[in-house]
Every structure is written in structure tokens, then in C-alpha cells.
Amino acid sequence: MTTKIFKIDKDIPYNNLKDLTYAVEVINNGGLVAFGTETVYGLGANALDKHAVKKIYTAKGRPSDNPLIVHIAELKDLYYICQNISNDALKLAKTFWGGPLTIVLEKKKIIPYETSGGLETIGVRMPSSKIAREFIRISKVPIAAPSANKSGKPSPTNAQHVYKDLNGKIDVILDSGECDVGIESTVVDMTDNPTILRPGSITKIMLEEVLNLKVFSNFNENDKNEVPKSPGVKYRHYAPNGNLTLVIGNSANVVSKIKALLKDSKIESDKIGILATKETAHLYNKNKYCVLIIGNRNNFQEISKNLFNTLRKFDDLNITEIFAEGFLEEENSVAIMNRLKKASSYKIINV
Ligand code: TXA
Ligand code: MG
């Protein structure tokens, strides 16, 4: 299969109506289209068509029990695919949609088990991205879309990432440029007590303020007391090819620990990468090691936006050993640290 790439304006998709219409036809004929959202690129198929949805799993190499997020264009579309929607769930939808929040709800029969990974529930999201919304609206079907990466790789935040992972395996890539948020949506289960299954840029406190209720968390899969509720969390994720060690603490301690690790490392120096910040990058020998800057230490929005792109760069540069600076956990760094911990397969040093 040849993968077609169309450049499309993320704010005014009608400038490229012909390409958008072509992508819509592909969806309506059971094909696969990758498209940009405000979070990351998604790999879309008609969520109502089990044959189309199966192709997503094949293209990504994704385990079939890992459910897909269903994307809708308008709030009213929610009633077409979900039932027993609580007032609290609706409150969240009305407050945070379109935006980076996925709400897990009881599915209606119209959603096949291929889409829900065999579950009676589905995650639903209405993106804020104009191009994503228009694409769904014109398709006239809900669109199932996991992140458009090869299973296990960091999520794609631009069309080149998608091309690298899925060229020849999907029909179309709608290239709408870089994603603004850079990490995937917050997933909150609203079928029971509100529970965050995956942290994102919409934080626990933001949800609690709207609901006026305690919101629980269930995404710390290395915590032996927690049984993972979200099937996705049990799989290796966000991992670059290189072996990543995450060092967490205050910035001065983190830098000295990484320097000590560099000194002890048996790996050739040109195969070693350091994930650093603007404030700390100059403290490492950039002539010897590959030092990449993820952003300003205090700007978590910037760090989120650059995170996956930076992890992918280490792969492009054939780095086999990565030492990554971690951040102290606070409300706005939880999602970033969640992705970094997974990328390290829990090889974490606290200093
Ligand atoms: O920002 C995003 O959410 C992106 C863009 C494309 O919208 N999509 C995305 O999809 O990240 P994916 O499939 O890579 O991640 C979906 C996560 C997985 O961890 C999955 O297990 C969980 O959501 N999930 C989906 N449906 C669920 C359900 N019914 N119950 C529990 N977890 C669910
Ligand atoms: Mg994913």
C-alpha cells in the first residue's frame, strides 16, 4: 500500500477541501487515516466498522485487548455511542470538550467489541483541533483513533513521526503540522467513582474543581497495590530504542548523579544521550555526548510539547544509552513524569 500524505491547514481545513474529502472517503470505505489533534496524531478508522478497526491493530502491532479512543465532533454524538451517562460525566464533557480529556463510559451496542477491546465501556473524546473536528464531522461517523505510532513507540507529534512508523501500512496521513499539547489526553473513568486512568494536561485538581468530588488515580502500574484498570497501561510504552535511565530529584542533585553515571558508563560516549533542560544543558560535555534540550525546567507546557519528539530524536541519532533528567512531582508534571517513567521501564534513580 502507498501511503498518501496531504498537507492541511490545522485551523482552516477548508483550504484543502479536496484532500479532506479524499480522507473522508477512505474512512467511509473502511480505510485508515492518520490525522493531527491538539494532543498527538491519531490513527483513525470508522469506529462502527469492526473490519476497519481491526486494521488499526494490525498496522500498529497493537494487542487486540487494548481499547481504542472514540473521537466525536459534537457533544450530541455522545448519546449515539454511550448510555447511562451520569450528570458528572456530562459536566466534565461540557467543561473540557473540545479538549484533551477522554471520558470512559458504558458503550451502546452500535460500538463493536473490536473497538472497545472486548469491554462494555469505551473512552470518548471530542478534540479541540479544528481539522480533527471537521474530519470527523464530514465523515459522519465516530472515529476510533489510538495514537498513530507503532505500538510501544513514543506517540507521534508530527506527520514525519507517523510516516516513519506507519508508511506503507495506512492509506493517508493528513499533515497539519506540530501538535500543540504533545502528550495524550487525560483518561478519566466515569462509570464508577471518578478515576484517572492516564494523566494528561487536564489535571486531577481541574477535574475535582468541576465535580466537587474526590478524583482517584489508577495509573501507577509499578505500585503492587493497584490492579490496572486501563488495559493500555500494562504494555511497554513511549520507549525509545535506547536504554533510558530516569534520575529524579532537585536539579543540582540530578545533574551530579547523571555526571557520575556518565563517568561509570562502559558505553562509547557517542552512543550516549542526555535529556537535559535549558538551565542544565551547559553543565554537560556536549562535544562528547548527545545533549538534547527538552525545554525550560519550569515550563511544563513546553516540556510536554517537546517530550516525544526529543525521545524520537535519540533514536534517529542511534543513541543506545539515555540519561534523562526527571522533575519533582507536582500537579503539572504528573503526566510528563508518567511518560518518562514508562519510557525508562521504571529504571529510576531518586537522588
Ligand atoms: O490524546 C489522545 O488520547 C490520543 C489522540 C489521538 O486522541 N489518543 C490516544 O489513544 O492516546 P491510545 O489508544 O494511544 O490510548 C488510549 C488509552 C489506552 O491506555 C487505553 O487502554 C485507554 O486509553 N482506554 C481506552 N478505552 C478504554 C476503556 N474503555 N477503559 C479503560 N481504558 C481505556
Ligand atoms: Mg498510544
Side-chain angles (χ1 to χ4, degrees), residues 60 62 146-147 149 155 184 198 237:
K60 279 181 62 92
R62 181 177 175 110
S147 49
N149 51 284
S155 293
E184 311 86 343
R198 178 177 71 186
H237 253 117

Side-chain angles (χ1 to χ4, degrees), residues 298-316:
N298 303 312
N299 188 342
F300 291 126
Q301 238 171 312
E302 181 185 28
I303 290 172
S304 298
K305 190 170 175 177
N306 295 331
L307 178 63
F308 291 142
N309 188 37
T310 314
L311 291 179
R312 281 174 176 267
K313 265 192 201 146
F314 285 121
D315 283 355
D316 296 342

Side-chain angles (χ1 to χ4, degrees), residues 6 78 88 122 128 148 155 310 333:
F6 299 128
L78 180 59
D88 284 334
I122 46 165
S128 64
S155 293
T310 314
S333 66

